Amino acid sequence: MRAWSAPEVPVLPVVGPPVQLHDTATGRLRTSSPAGAARLYVCGITPYDATHMGHAATYVAFDLLNRAWRSAGHPVTYVQNVTDVDDPLLERADKVKIDWVELAERETELFRQDMHALRVLPPDHLVGAVESIPWAVAYIERLQAAGSIYQVESDLYFSVSADSTFGSVSGLDRAQMTPLFAERGGDPDRAGKKDPLDCVVWRGERPGEPSWDSPFGRGRPGWHIECTAISQEHLGVDFDVQGGGSDLVFPHHEMCASHAHVASGERFAQGYAHAGMVAYDGEKMSKSRGNLVFVSQLRNSDVDPMALRLVLLRHHYRSDWEWTDAALWDAVDTIQRWRKALSLGAGAPSAPVVEGVLAALAHDLDAPTAVDVVEQWVAATLGTGGLADTSDQRAGHAVHQLIDAALGLSL
Ligand code: 5CA
Ligand code: ZN
């Protein structure tokens, strides 16, 4: 499917440092050194409701990675999926009595507009679950050939015991895995399964649900195989980073990694990066709980999307944090001050700001530190009225280009 149009990214006069990123699987920082283009897959939305600030936080986090790689001189191949057929989407469509295809299309379009407003660089490939069904089917056949698939009634399951490395992404033991599996779409108690943690890869047709033809009968793919198939189709094995929110570490990313390892004998991804969860009213912001702050709602109330982006940048991507209106209004004021400082033209020296911001972002996407570096420049520049003799005559322009390219803030 179509992505959204790309904002322009100014070319900076300096090359940024190599990018270090925390890897969930090892718990350590990993320096990425892609030979050609850096290959990034980020799990996309399930489009049954509008984009909330939690989703936005995750996509802005990976946008910082995309931008840091580009600043370091690496082209990036970025793939994202849209889970445009899945249980929660079908249930919502049923409840509100609209066609599930129409609901998915409408919410996907709103997501594109939100991402565009937040100046998130679009993926090179935005791929729907429905359009990727042939790849999922072919991938299930590979897993079948590897002896890792069995049938329970009309459904096909992937046997986690087929993968000797199962558990290596999350590092969880079985006692920790089982409740998470049940909570996040799994069915540990289903009769006929060989292992409670085995996941469904093909769901046989159910009355009233959409279904497609396949060598395994009519039905639709399971959730995990969707992301395995799409990522492998566009990026191949051992791509640089598999990303998403931390709610996807287990079972989702664990299963994708296992599928790919069993099918190919190779590593799925070199590293796994996860964004923290954004909460509201004391609980994780989620469509099922309904405690949501929507990007589109704030945009419709004339909130500058750059202020929304600044709120996100002020939190480290790996931390869990709570959305507050106070933080939003503070960001609105900050954006105004930044605009004023940038408009002066001359200002405090820009070279240390460029260096400081690029270094912070290359060090595990430390946007809060990068924002502090800009804040200090703004304070120094406003303090001197931008006119001190020792000032940098083109500082405003240099910092403007910097925060646009590296932080995605166009002011
Ligand atoms: N379609 C699947 C991924 S294949 C899915 O999880 N969709 S989603 O709409 O529920 O979430 C979209 C992305 O936002 C995922 O990467 C998810 O991890 C992330 N996300 C969801 N809720 C939050 C939250 N409260 N804070 C931060 N990120 C979140
Ligand atoms: Zn996914």
Side-chain angles (χ1 to χ4, degrees):
M1 55 173 68
R2 171 176 72 73
W4 53 94
S5 58
E8 244 180 76
V9 182
V11 178
L12 297 176
V14 295
V15 175
V19 180
Q20 294 183 295
L21 192 67
H22 180 268
D23 173 28
T24 304
T26 59
R28 295 204 201 98
L29 283 185
R30 226 188 109 253
T31 305
S32 40
S33 43
R39 293 170 295 161
L40 173 65
Y41 185 90
V42 177
C43 282
I45 55 160
T46 304
Y48 67 90
D49 208 341
T51 315
H52 60 61
M53 290 311 301
H55 302 136
T58 288
Y59 298 116
V60 165
F62 290 98
D63 190 50
L64 293 177
L65 175 60
N66 193 346
R67 288 168 183 271
W69 270 333
R70 288 160 188 258
S71 298
H74 300 297
V76 180
T77 305
Y78 181 13
V79 181
Q80 193 179 118
N81 66 307
V82 174
T83 307
D84 58 1
V85 60
D86 200 10
D87 297 347
L89 171 74
L90 299 173
E91 282 160 21
R92 174 65 66 90
D94 204 42
K95 197 159 260 169
V96 298
K97 303 267 173 291
I98 91 166
D99 178 46
W100 65 275
V101 176
E102 212 176 296
L103 176 63
E105 278 175 1
R106 188 183 76 197
E107 298 305 335
T108 303
E109 182 50 29
L110 190 57
F111 170 71
R112 290 188 188 100
Q113 290 167 14
D114 288 337
M115 291 297 105
H116 184 253
L118 291 170
R119 295 185 76 81
V120 172
L121 302 179
D124 301 279
H125 305 279
L126 183 69
V127 187
V130 171
E131 64 188 351
S132 67
I133 287 174
W135 304 338
V137 167
Y139 215 88
I140 295 168
E141 287 180 316
R142 284 180 68 178
L143 290 173
Q144 244 172 354
S148 63
I149 299 295
Y150 64 92
Q151 192 166 352
V152 178
E153 294 166 83
S154 63
D155 303 335
L156 295 186
Y157 278 85
F158 169 73
S159 204
V160 294
S161 68
D163 177 26
S164 57
T165 66
F166 180 72
S168 60
V169 174
S170 63
L172 299 175
D173 60 34
R174 291 186 63 98
Q176 295 166 309
M177 286 176 178
T178 308
L180 283 178
F181 184 69
E183 198 181 299
R184 297 173 177 169
D187 53 359
D189 300 325
R190 174 140 188 214
K193 282 174 65 173
K194 292 185 184 164
D195 183 317
L197 295 176
D198 291 345
C199 68
V200 72
V201 290
W202 187 259
R203 188 178 146 84
E205 183 172 27
R206 305 285 197 278
E209 286 188 7
S211 60
W212 289 264
D213 278 328
S214 84
F216 340 110
R218 283 189 74 79
R220 60 182 161 99
W223 170 34
H224 311 306
I225 197 77
E226 168 194 342
C227 284
T228 316
I230 296 172
S231 63
Q232 294 306 287
E233 181 69 25
H234 281 292
L235 299 175
V237 289
D238 209 32
F239 61 89
D240 290 84
V241 171
Q242 160 76 321
S246 60
D247 57 339
L248 301 183
V249 176
F250 190 87
H252 188 49
H253 290 171
E254 193 75 70
M255 293 297 178
C256 296
S258 269
H259 293 337
H261 187 238
V262 169
S264 69
E266 308 258 357
R267 188 165 62 165
F268 178 55
Q270 294 165 34
Y272 297 84
H274 293 99
M277 288 293 112
V278 181
Y280 189 54
D281 278 347
E283 274 199 275
K284 173 193 161 188
M285 207 181 274
S286 77
K287 291 182 259 206
S288 50
R289 290 191 184 93
N291 55 335
L292 305 172
V293 178
F294 293 119
V295 176
S296 46
Q297 226 165 36
L298 290 168
R299 287 199 292 117
N300 288 336
S301 335
D302 298 317
V303 174
D304 182 344
M306 293 300 95
L308 297 182
R309 186 159 173 131
L310 181 60
V311 176
L312 305 179
L313 296 173
R314 280 176 158 170
H315 298 274
H316 192 272
Y317 81 96
R318 282 203 283 130
S319 61
D320 296 328
W321 54 280
E322 173 126 7
W323 176 267
T324 64
D325 291 347
L328 171 61
W329 300 122
D330 190 72
V332 168
D333 293 343
T334 302
I335 289 287
Q336 220 164 22
R337 284 179 50 250
W338 285 23
R339 282 208 167 101
K340 189 167 167 209
L342 291 167
S343 70
L344 295 173
S350 61
V353 186
V354 174
E355 194 182 321
V357 165
L358 293 181
L361 290 168
H363 185 255
D364 201 23
L365 314 178
D366 187 353
T369 297
V371 167
D372 280 347
V373 170
V374 179
E375 287 277 21
Q376 282 163 26
W377 177 86
V378 167
T381 298
L382 291 176
T384 59
L387 299 172
D389 287 346
T390 52
S391 72
D392 174 344
Q393 293 305 309
R394 301 252 310 149
H397 177 73
V399 174
H400 190 273
Q401 302 285 90
L402 168 73
I403 63 179
D404 190 349
L407 292 171
L409 289 171
S410 171
L411 302 182

